[in-house]
């Protein structure tokens, strides 16, 4: 059974720092991995999607890497800003084309 | 930018009552999903829907739950005889293609069962 784990559970940093959020999954047979952002009381916003054949994806200050064989992904946030404060969720598409399996998230606080 | 719309944003109901959660997916999307998140827990897959039928469902999605696309724009989740443990944030999502495509989520309906 696929399990997704995210470390750390919470992170508080000063503005301007570069950050790394970690995601691991137990079964390497995935179709893709997505990183989402969740703001309090809001829905999930897809940030980056990495297909199983890809190694990384970049969008602005965000870079996500995927090492399928070791069951790991990292989300790198460059030059963090207070507006980056949110919960970041990692999810893998596994065991079918329709079912995302989520991690518990990393709650990020960036203070001025 | 197109978005998935969910109504209501909050729903309070008495245990044993039926509720219908409504969603309007992005117009050119063909695949629709319901997920839920119990407070303090992970987001969990409930069901996926394509071509007017369920394509996959989780073990959570038992006979208490049903989904429907009653017209060309709405996608609904019905929960019959609600239980206290059904209290959660329910998210609707849609995608243009199957799950290998990016999913777009709505802002959720917070269901409270008293």
């Amino acid at each position: 059974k696929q399990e997704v784990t995210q470390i750390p559970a919470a992170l508080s940093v000063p503005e301007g720092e570069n950050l790394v959020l970690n995601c691991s999954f137990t079964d390497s047979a995935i179709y893709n991995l997505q990183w989402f952002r969740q703001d309090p009381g809001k829905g999930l916003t897809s940030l980056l999607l990495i297909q199983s054949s890809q190694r990384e994806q970049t969008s602005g200050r965000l870079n996500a890497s995927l090492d399928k064989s070791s069951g790991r992904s990292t989300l790198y946030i460059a030059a963090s800003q207070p507006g980056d404060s949110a919960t970041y969720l990692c999810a893998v598409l596994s065991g079918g084309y329709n079912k995302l399996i989520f991690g518990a998230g990393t709650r990020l606080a960036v203070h001025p | 930018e197109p978005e998935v719309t969910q109504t209501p944003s909050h729903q309070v109901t008495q245990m044993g009552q039926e509720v219908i959660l409504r969603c309007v997916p992005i117009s050119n999307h063909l695949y629709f999903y319901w997920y839920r998140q119990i407070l303090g827990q992970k987001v969990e897959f409930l069901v996926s829907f394509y071509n007017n039928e369920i394509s996959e469902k989780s073990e959570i999605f038992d006979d208490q739950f049903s989904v429907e696309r009653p017209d060309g724009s709405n996608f609904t989740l019905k929960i019959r005889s609600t239980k206290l443990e059904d209290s959660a944030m329910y998210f609707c999502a849609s995608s243009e293609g199957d799950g290998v495509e990016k999913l777009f989520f709505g802002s959720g309906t917070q269901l409270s069962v008293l």
Side-chain angles (χ1 to χ4, degrees):
Chain A
K1 182 184 170 187
Q2 179 74 268
E3 295 281 346
V4 180
T5 303
Q6 292 187 244
I7 295 172
L11 188 59
S12 180
V13 299
E15 182 176 5
E17 278 206 6
N18 300 323
L19 310 171
V20 176
L21 308 182
N22 296 292
C23 172
S24 62
F25 45 95
T26 54
D27 185 348
S28 61
I30 65 170
Y31 297 105
N32 65 36
L33 182 146
Q34 294 190 55
W35 282 94
F36 292 89
R37 170 182 172 140
Q38 183 175 28
D39 293 283
K42 301 281 182 66
L44 311 178
T45 302
S46 181
L47 298 173
L48 292 163
L49 183 153
I50 312 177
Q51 301 293 352
S52 61
S53 58
Q54 297 175 321
R55 298 283 291 183
E56 66 177 335
Q57 283 287 328
T58 298
S59 176
R61 294 182 293 106
L62 305 179
N63 175 276
S65 66
L66 174 64
D67 184 343
K68 209 173 75 157
S69 60
S70 69
R72 295 175 190 274
S73 175
T74 60
L75 178 67
Y76 176 81
I77 304 176
S80 58
Q81 303 170 357
D84 295 330
S85 299
T87 297
Y88 291 81
L89 301 176
C90 165
V92 298
L93 190 68
S94 176
Y97 287 123
N98 298 294
K99 179 179 172 180
L100 279 176
I101 299 169
F102 282 81
T106 293
R107 190 181 316 141
L108 173 65
V110 181
H111 47 88
Chain B
E1 183 173 298
E3 59 182 26
V4 176
T5 305
Q6 289 187 244
T7 55
S9 56
H10 293 85
Q11 175 91 49
V12 180
T13 190
Q14 296 292 322
M15 191 168 55
Q17 296 296 305
E18 175 182 287
V19 295
I20 297 176
L21 310 184
R22 304 180 190 279
C23 170
V24 179
I26 294 173
S27 61
N28 65 329
H29 286 187
L30 301 177
Y31 290 78
F32 315 114
Y33 314 84
W34 285 100
Y35 285 77
R36 78 174 185 188
Q37 186 176 32
I38 295 170
L39 187 64
Q41 298 188 22
K42 295 180 180 182
V43 176
E44 305 173 285
F45 169 80
L46 291 177
V47 67
S48 60
F49 191 87
Y50 169 71
N51 199 26
N52 282 319
E53 61 182 29
I54 290 173
S55 49
E56 190 167 353
K57 61 182 181 179
S58 72
E59 57 274 11
I60 302 167
F61 194 89
D62 58 21
D63 292 343
Q64 183 195 8
F65 295 89
S66 62
V67 289
E68 192 178 31
R69 188 155 163 82
D71 53 43
S73 59
N74 291 284
F75 179 52
T76 62
L77 173 68
K78 182 189 289 185
I79 309 174
R80 285 181 281 274
S81 189
T82 49
K83 298 177 276 196
L84 295 176
E85 55 265 37
D86 294 328
S87 295
M89 179 74 89
Y90 287 81
F91 293 108
C92 174
S94 67
S95 60
E96 196 170 339
D98 63 22
V100 297
E101 303 282 339
K102 186 181 288 191
L103 259 64
F104 292 80
F105 281 80
S107 55
T109 293
Q110 180 65 57
L111 176 65
S112 299
V113 183
L114 306 179

